Amino acid sequence: MPRKINRMSLRFLDSADQVAAIVARFGHRPAHKLTTSYATVRDYCESLDHLPKITGINGDLKNAQRPWAVKAVLAQVPPPARVLEFGGGEPIVSGFLAELGYEVTLVDPYDGFGKGPIDYHRFREQFSHVKIRREYFRPGMAGLAPASFAAIFSVSVLEHLAPPALTACFEAIAEFLSPGGFSIHCFDFILQGTGDAHHFAQAQAILAEQQKLGGQAPDEPLEQLVERLRTDVETFFLSPQGHHLWRGDRPYLEFPFRKVVSLQTIAARSPAA
Ligand SMILES: C[S@@+](CC[C@H](N)C(=O)[O-])C[C@H]1O[C@@H](n2cnc3c(N)ncnc32)[C@H](O)[C@@H]1O
C-alpha cells in the first residue's frame, strides 16, 4: 500500500486537486442509500481505480472494507463534517478522511483487542491530523459533546464484540450522533464454515441495533440478503491468501478455511433514538 512519508507523518493524497476529484466522485451518491448490503468485486475494483492508496491487494477483507467506509461517509455527509470512527486501529480510513477535509475523532483502546494494533504513540505522531482517543467507545465519554457528530462509523469491529460491548457502542452512537446523522459499519460475516451460526446471530444483533437507532424496518431481512449474496457472482469473499494471513502460525486444522464476506449497514439516527 503506497503511502507518502513526510517526516513522521503519513499522508495519502498529494494535492488539493486529488481531494476535490475524490469528493466530487463519491459525494452524495444515491448508490449508498440507507440500507444493508455486502461487499462486491465491482465496488472493490472501483476502489482500486480511484482510491488505490487505501485499497490493499493482499486478499484481506479490509481491502474492500476500508475504501467502502470512505465512500459511504462521503456519500452521506460532505466535508468538513465532524465524524467519529471507533476501533480504527491504524488510522488509515480516519487519516484519509481527515485529508479530505473532515474533522475526525478516532476512539480505540489500542490494547490488542481483536488482533488490533497497540502502536498508539506511533499513530499519534504519524496521524497528527486525527484526534485519537485511547479508550473504549462508550456512553458518557468525557470531552465528547452529545449529538455532535454527523457520522459515526466502524470497520471490522462489531463482529468482535460481546453483547454488553455491542450494546455500549450503540448507546454511545445514540448519544454522540446528531439527529439525522449516520451510523455506518462494515463487519466480517462467516457465510460458511466454523463460526457461521455465531456470525449469523451477531449480524442479527448488529442490524437490530441499527434498526432501533434508525426507527425503520429493514428493507430486506437478513436471511434474504444472505441468500442473495450466496448466489451473486459479484460477492467479494476473503481469499485463501487472506485466510492464510488470518491463520498466522496456527496449524491448518485448527483454523480451516471458511467463506467470509463483509456486510455493510448504513442507518440515519431518528430524532427519537
Ligand atoms: C480487527 S481490528 C480492526 C481495525 C481497523 N478498523 C482496521 O480496519 O484495520 C478491531 C479494532 O477494534 C478496537 N475495538 C474493539 N472494541 C472496541 C470498542 N468498544 N471501542 C473502540 N474500539 C474497539 C480494537 O482495539 C481494534 O483496534
Side-chain angles (χ1 to χ4, degrees):
M1 193 179 296
R3 277 176 250 168
K4 188 179 176 192
I5 298 183
N6 175 13
R7 291 201 189 93
M8 289 300 290
S9 71
L10 281 178
R11 296 291 185 273
F12 300 98
L13 298 168
D14 298 318
S15 69
D17 284 352
Q18 277 187 340
V19 169
I22 290 170
V23 173
R25 176 175 293 279
F26 295 113
H28 295 296
R29 266 186 154 186
H32 285 83
K33 61 185 177 128
L34 304 184
T35 188
T36 298
S37 58
Y38 51 90
T40 62
V41 176
R42 177 193 299 249
D43 187 58
Y44 173 63
C45 288
E46 179 190 60
S47 301
L48 279 173
D49 289 346
H50 299 288
L51 305 172
K53 292 193 179 173
I54 57 162
T55 306
I57 52 167
N58 63 354
D60 198 358
L61 266 193
K62 291 193 179 73
N63 298 342
Q65 291 173 321
R66 289 176 180 149
W68 175 83
V70 166
K71 291 191 270 189
V73 170
L74 273 166
Q76 305 302 340
V77 291
R82 298 187 74 217
V83 301
L84 182 147
E85 177 176 19
F86 62 93
E90 181 175 8
I92 293 170
V93 175
S94 279
F96 195 81
L97 288 172
E99 286 187 64
L100 293 177
Y102 291 93
E103 185 183 328
V104 187
T105 299
L106 191 167
V107 181
D108 192 307
Y110 293 111
D111 60 2
F113 181 102
K115 296 213 169 120
I118 56 173
D119 318 46
Y120 167 70
H121 296 288
R122 177 165 65 86
F123 296 152
R124 288 263 309 212
E125 286 183 354
Q126 292 181 327
F127 298 89
S128 55
H129 49 315
V130 176
K131 294 177 193 168
I132 303 180
R133 301 273 307 254
R134 188 178 199 173
E135 52 190 307
Y136 282 85
F137 187 48
R138 55 179 174 74
M141 273 181 67
L144 298 184
S148 61
F149 291 95
I152 297 182
F153 68 95
S154 70
V155 174
S156 186
V157 179
L158 298 180
E159 73 273 21
H160 297 289
L161 302 185
L166 186 68
T167 303
C169 281
F170 273 94
E171 284 174 359
I173 292 171
E175 178 176 344
F176 297 116
L177 196 59
S178 57
F182 296 93
S183 173
I184 298 171
H185 311 279
C186 53
F187 56 94
D188 304 2
F189 178 81
I190 301 173
L191 179 67
Q192 187 182 351
T194 309
D196 54 7
H198 170 66
H199 266 207
F200 191 86
Q202 186 77 356
Q204 280 182 315
I206 293 165
L207 298 180
E209 292 286 0
Q210 283 284 80
Q211 190 181 336
K212 196 162 78 180
L213 190 78
Q216 279 187 341
D219 44 10
E220 182 179 27
L222 178 60
E223 292 82 354
Q224 198 174 310
L225 180 80
V226 169
E227 280 319 303
R228 200 152 60 79
L229 73 84
R230 210 186 276 283
T231 55
D232 186 350
V233 70
E234 290 278 356
T235 301
F236 184 101
F237 285 92
L238 174 75
S239 74
Q241 291 86 345
H243 175 264
H244 181 68
L245 286 176
W246 286 15
R247 183 167 69 90
D249 52 13
R250 280 174 284 193
Y252 182 80
L253 288 179
E254 264 181 37
F255 195 78
F257 189 66
R258 56 215 65 189
K259 287 185 188 163
V260 190
V261 299
S262 176
L263 297 188
Q264 313 166 150
T265 169
I266 305 175
R269 187 195 143 187
S270 79

